[in-house]
């Protein structure tokens, strides 16, 4: 089957992409609006972009009312956010945090999650997540007819649970991916776990 994207609606393109570019990591973004209300929301159009500087990117769309989602407007206003990597046992919480709420209501009021201080960063981190990145806004790029905002953010520090990290023989950090058990996004309402890890040596 050949699919001509020029003949598809934006909705059909979305479903084709999200069911074939799989699995995708999920950025669970904690932000705060200028009034101090915390927002927590997941985004699976998410990736690492560079390591020097350490830049991550997540894409944010609009609410049904046409406004951009809080994970864009809050970060543009305050310039700071925390991106979490959720484990599979948090799948229900991640899904529930995708609900559209009024700007003055926090998803954290509806979820059984704890927020801890994140060193000296202005925002806390979710206690139940084994990985969290404190980030500052780097650049915003708006694109598309819908449109979308690509949020490029720079990592200033990371929290990694002691139980999933060790040093290898070269002194580099080694993350136990199965212990992290990251939640991965598929299409529709489907998620996946890692299940198994295998190694294939790269050519020299």
């Amino acid at each position: 089957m050949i699919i001509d994207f020029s003949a598809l609606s934006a909705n059909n393109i979305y479903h084709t992409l999200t069911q074939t570019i799989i699995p995708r990591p999920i950025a669970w973004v904690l932000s705060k609006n200028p009034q101090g209300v915390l927002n927590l929301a997941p985004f699976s159009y998410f990736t690492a972009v560079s390591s020097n500087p350490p830049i991550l990117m997540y894409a944010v769309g609009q609410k049904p009312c046409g406004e951009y989602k809080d994970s864009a407007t809050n970060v543009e206003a305050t310039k700071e956010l925390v991106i979490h990597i959720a484990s599979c046992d948090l799948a229900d919480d991640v899904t529930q945090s995708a609900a559209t709420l009024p700007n003055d209501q926090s998803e954290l009021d509806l979820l059984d999650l704890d927020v801890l201080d994140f060193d000296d960063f202005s925002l806390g981190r979710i206690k139940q997540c084994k990985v969290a990145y404190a980030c500052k806004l780097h650049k915003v790029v708006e694109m598309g007819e819908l449109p979308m905002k690509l949020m490029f953010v720079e990592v200033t520090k990371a929290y990694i649970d002691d139980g999933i990290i060790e040093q290898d023989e070269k002194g580099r950090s080694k993350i136990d991916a199965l212990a992290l058990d990251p939640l991965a996004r598929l299409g529709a309402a489907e998620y996946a776990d890692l299940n198994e890890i295998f190694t294939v040596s790269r050519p020299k």
Side-chain angles (χ1 to χ4, degrees), residues 27-92:
W28 208 11
V29 178
L30 181 69
S31 63
K32 183 168 62 176
N33 68 20
Q35 291 72 44
V37 179
L38 292 173
N39 177 267
L40 182 66
F43 298 90
S44 67
Y45 278 12
F46 165 58
T47 191
V49 175
S50 66
S51 53
N52 187 21
I55 302 293
L56 309 179
M57 186 281 296
Y58 65 100
V60 183
Q62 297 178 340
K63 299 178 182 180
C65 66
E67 297 176 354
Y68 271 106
K69 294 180 179 179
D70 297 337
S71 298
T73 56
N74 289 354
V75 172
E76 286 187 284
T78 67
K79 314 301 183 189
E80 294 183 320
L81 66 153
V82 176
I83 293 180
H84 301 82
I85 304 299
S87 299
C88 287
D89 60 344
L90 293 168
D92 287 340

